[in-house]
Amino acid sequence: MNAPNVLADSKSEVEELGDNTQRVTLTQSVEPSFHIEPIVHRFEARRGTTIPFKFEIRSTGKAMNVTVLPVQLRQELSGIILHDDNVGAPEELKILSSTEFKLAPGETTFIEGEVTVPLAKSNYLSFGVLVRDNGQSSAEANPDDPQAISAAVRFVTQYVLRVDIETGVKDLSEMDKLDFEQGNILNEEGMPVATTILSNPTNFAFECNVRSTVHSANATKPRPFRMSMLSRKTLEDEGRYLVRIMPGSKLHLTAPMGDTLFPGEQTLKLEVTNGRRSLSEKSFDFAVAGGDFPALEVSQAYLDNELSVSPAQIEIGSSDHASRACNLRFSNNSSNQKNVRVELVDLQGNAIDGVRLSSDDFAVRSGRTKTIRAAVNNRNGGGETVFGVVRIHASDESGNGSQVSELPIAILAKEEASSSVKFGELASVQQGGMTSFRFPVTNTGEGYLPVDGRLEIADGSGHALKLADGYGKWLRPGETRELAFSPNRELPAGKYQLKLHVETKDGIEPFDQTLIVDLGDQS
C-alpha cells in the first residue's frame, strides 16, 4: 500500500543566478486524501467459485480523480506485496463498478467486483486492485505573461488492495518446488540470527511455514524454531510465522536464536511445512567459533567447547530488585558424560555461606541438560551485598580434561554497594586497512557493573552504520574494558558523524558524545 496524498499548500521561491538564469524552489505540503476499508479481503472458497467483493472509499476532504484497475502482484524480498506494471491484469478478477470517477470532498462510494477462483494447485491465491488518485496540478501558466516562470507538482498516489483466498486445496505437489537458495547463521548486534532465501519458481502463490533446526555432531534433540518474513517479524502473535510467497518471488526469512551454539561444525536444516507435513527441505553447513556471538555469551557461558551454563551472570538476593533464587542450566554437547563440581567464593577468595545450592557435585549426561538451583538462605535477610564467583570444575567421566571456569554472582542485600564508572575517549584504530573504534570503560565502584555501548557512524549522505559492543556484560570492580566497534567493511575516506551512547546501570548517567571526524585514505 502506498499512502495516498494530495497537495494542500504550496509556495515557491525564485533565486536570481545571473545571466538571465533563475532557480525556482517549489515547496509542497501534503495531507491524506482518501481512506479505503478494508485494505485486504480474505475469503475461503473452493476452486471454480465466483466471489463478490466490495471496498469502501471515502474522501477525507479533497476532490479526487480516481482510477481503479485489476493488477497482478509482485513481492519484494522483505515480503511486502506491490502491484506489477510489467504483467497484464488477471483474468480471474473483474471490476463491476466504475473504473474512472470523481470523488467530491467528504463523499463516500464503493468499489465492487468479483473474482473467480482458478483451478490451481495452491492453498492460497491473491489478486490485486490498484486504486489511484491522479491528483491535481498545484499551479498553471500565466496566459498574460508568457515569460513568467511557472512550476507545478502533481502527486499521483495509490492504494494496492488485495483479495486473498484460502482454497483448501490438499494437492500441494507444486509447493514441493519451493527451494532454499542459501542458509546461514549471522551475527546481528551480537546475537545469532538464522537467515535464508526462499525461492518460488512456480506460477502459483503459496501459504506455508518454514521450520528450522540446528544440528551438531552430538546434539541429540535439537529444538525447532520458525522463520518469518521481514515484513511480519514485528508481529506479536502466531501470524508472524505465516509465510506467503507470490509466483516467481524470493523471500528473505529470518529467526533470532536464543539457544546455545557450541563452537564447531553445525548444520542448519530448513523445511517448508503445511500443517505437520514437510514438503521441501534443504540443509546448509556452517562453522561457529568462540566469540562469534558476544551478546549470546553474556547469557550463555561456554565452560569449554562441549559444556555450557545459563545464565552466565547470576543475580540473587534479598533486595527488592533481585529474585531470591536462580536456576543454573548446564548443557552437555559432547559424546561423554561431564562431571561438575561447584563452589561459591567472594572476590577475596573466601567461601560464600549466604547462598544454598541444590547440588554442588553432579553429572551431566551426554547430549542432556542438568539444572541446579541457587537460593539465598532465609536467615540472610539483611547484611551487606556480596560480590563473588561461581567456580565450576568440569571433567569427563574418567576425570580427565579438568577445566575451571568462573561465573560472576551478585548477592544483593537491602544496602546496595556504591557504583561509579570512568569513561575514556573514543579513538580510531587502523588495522589491516580497516578502521575500527575503541572506547575504554573502567568500573571504579565496589560491585559488578554492566556495560552496553552503541556507536552510529553516518556518512555525508546520511547513510548510517550501527555497531554495538558490551551487551550488558559485567565489569569487575577495578576492571577496564575497551569497547570495540568494528565495521564489517572498509570506510571510504571522508567526513563522518559519530554518535556514541554507553549505558551502565540505573542511577548512573549514560555517556553520550557526538563527533565529526575526517577519515583519510586507508589504502
Side-chain angles (χ1 to χ4, degrees):
M1 178 190 74
N2 295 333
N5 302 288
V6 295
L7 294 176
D9 299 306
S10 65
K11 64 178 181 178
S12 59
E13 296 179 359
V14 179
E15 180 183 357
E16 298 289 343
L17 301 179
D19 298 328
N20 295 320
T21 303
Q22 295 176 316
R23 176 189 293 143
V24 179
T25 302
L26 190 65
T27 305
Q28 304 291 345
S29 61
V30 296
E31 63 184 25
S33 63
F34 62 87
H35 179 75
I36 295 183
E37 226 175 72
I39 300 300
V40 179
H41 269 302
R42 191 167 180 88
F43 300 104
E44 295 181 9
R46 294 178 179 273
R47 293 184 295 177
T49 304
T50 297
I51 307 168
F53 61 82
K54 180 189 291 187
F55 295 95
E56 181 184 87
I57 176 171
R58 174 174 54 85
S59 168
T60 58
K62 296 292 179 179
M64 296 163 30
N65 297 304
V66 180
T67 300
V68 180
L69 299 169
V71 290
Q72 295 282 7
L73 300 174
R74 64 180 178 86
Q75 193 170 30
E76 297 187 334
L77 273 172
S78 65
I80 292 175
I81 296 176
L82 305 172
H83 74 285
D84 193 342
D85 288 323
N86 299 319
V87 184
E91 297 178 356
E92 298 88 351
L93 187 144
K94 292 180 171 56
I95 304 298
L96 302 180
S97 56
S98 175
T99 58
E100 299 275 351
F101 58 89
K102 292 184 177 181
L103 202 61
E107 184 181 358
T108 296
T109 189
F110 295 92
I111 299 168
E112 299 183 60
E114 63 182 23
V115 61
T116 301
V117 184
L119 304 177
K121 292 183 179 180
S122 173
N123 62 347
Y124 165 74
L125 299 165
S126 188
F127 300 92
V129 177
L130 179 65
V131 182
R132 176 179 289 148
D133 170 17
N134 297 302
Q136 301 175 4
S137 295
S138 60
E140 296 181 358
N142 184 352
D144 299 327
D145 186 1
Q147 301 299 319
I149 297 174
S150 63
V153 174
R154 180 187 297 274
F155 278 81
V156 178
T157 57
Q158 56 205 20
Y159 272 113
V160 179
L161 312 177
R162 296 209 322 267
V163 179
D164 290 354
I165 302 169
E166 294 181 37
T167 65
V169 168
K170 303 300 182 183
D171 181 1
L172 297 177
S173 56
E174 289 292 322
M175 195 184 289
D176 294 350
K177 297 177 183 177
L178 295 181
D179 185 40
F180 298 101
E181 292 191 356
Q182 63 186 52
N184 205 348
I185 307 294
L186 302 179
N187 179 331
E188 287 192 11
E189 295 191 343
M191 289 294 290
V193 175
T195 179
T196 188
I197 300 295
L198 179 65
S199 173
N200 181 7
T202 76
N203 294 320
F204 304 107
F206 297 107
E207 192 171 83
C208 61
N209 292 111
V210 172
R211 181 173 59 204
S212 308
T213 46
V214 173
H215 300 255
S216 61
N218 300 308
T220 55
K221 292 183 179 180
R223 290 193 290 180
F225 55 93
R226 290 179 289 175
M227 312 282 279
S228 62
M229 302 186 298
L230 299 182
S231 60
R232 300 182 71 85
K233 72 176 186 178
T234 57
L235 298 179
E236 299 295 334
D237 57 15
E238 288 291 301
R240 69 181 301 177
Y241 302 113
L242 184 64
V243 175
R244 294 183 179 130
I245 185 165
M246 303 302 292
S249 297
K250 295 182 180 182
L251 289 180
H252 184 193
L253 308 179
T254 64
M257 299 180 61
D259 289 344
T260 303
L261 280 176
F262 284 93
E265 298 297 323
Q266 314 271 345
T267 299
L268 175 65
K269 181 181 177 181
L270 301 162
E271 298 176 273
V272 173
T273 64
N274 179 49
R276 296 183 178 181
R277 293 173 59 190
S278 177
L279 300 169
S280 175
E281 65 179 55
K282 207 166 189 178
S283 295
F284 299 88
D285 295 331
F286 65 99
V288 175
D292 278 357
F293 308 108
L296 178 63
E297 295 184 18
V298 172
S299 59
Q300 306 269 357
Y302 295 90
L303 307 180
D304 54 27
N305 286 351
E306 300 173 334
L307 185 67
S308 73
V309 61
S310 173
Q313 300 176 155
I314 304 151
E315 187 175 83
I316 54 177
S318 55
S319 165
D320 295 337
H321 306 296
S323 300
R324 296 190 67 87
C326 174
N327 288 331
L328 302 180
R329 185 174 183 265
F330 291 80
S331 299
N332 182 3
N333 196 51
S334 75
S335 56
N336 300 310
Q337 176 177 289
K338 293 283 187 176
N339 296 321
V340 178
R341 182 169 60 87
V342 179
E343 57 181 329
L344 303 179
V345 296
D346 62 23
L347 294 180
Q348 288 72 44
N350 304 312
I352 297 175
D353 59 6
V355 177
R356 181 180 66 257
L357 297 175
S358 61
S359 178
D360 60 5
D361 198 341
F362 53 89
V364 187
R365 289 189 290 169
S366 170
R368 300 296 183 89
T369 63
K370 171 74 175 181
T371 299
I372 68 169
R373 187 173 179 82
V376 178
N377 287 335
N378 290 331
R379 67 176 183 273
N380 188 24
E384 297 181 352
T385 293
V386 176
F387 299 98
V389 296
V390 179
R391 188 170 291 160
I392 301 172
H393 305 259
S395 62
D396 60 29
E397 53 192 331
S398 62
N400 298 322
S402 179
Q403 294 198 22
V404 180
S405 305
E406 293 184 345
L407 307 181
I409 182 170
I411 303 109
L412 304 181
K414 301 289 185 182
E415 298 263 341
E416 294 191 14
S418 65
S419 299
S420 59
V421 62
K422 178 182 178 182
F423 297 113
E425 295 185 358
L426 186 66
S428 62
V429 178
Q430 298 290 330
Q431 188 173 6
M434 301 281 284
T435 299
S436 61
F437 300 89
R438 300 289 187 269
F439 183 75
V441 180
T442 302
N443 180 3
T444 55
E446 298 177 2
Y448 291 119
L449 187 73
V451 177
D452 181 70
R454 309 284 156 153
L455 180 67
E456 183 176 294
I457 306 173
D459 61 19
S461 302
H463 300 113
L465 181 64
K466 296 181 179 181
L467 305 173
D469 196 20
Y471 308 106
K473 187 175 182 179
W474 291 355
L475 281 177
R476 280 174 171 252
E479 181 183 0
T480 297
R481 182 185 304 151
E482 270 199 337
L483 300 180
F485 304 101
S486 302
N488 57 7
R489 57 179 173 82
E490 181 180 339
L491 298 177
K495 288 189 176 182
Y496 293 85
Q497 177 180 271
L498 309 180
K499 294 181 69 174
L500 177 65
H501 178 78
V502 181
E503 292 183 353
T504 54
K505 63 181 296 185
D506 291 343
I508 296 181
E509 190 74 19
F511 181 89
D512 287 290
Q513 186 178 35
T514 300
L515 299 171
I516 303 295
V517 298
D518 194 342
L519 299 180
D521 190 351
Q522 303 168 44
S523 59

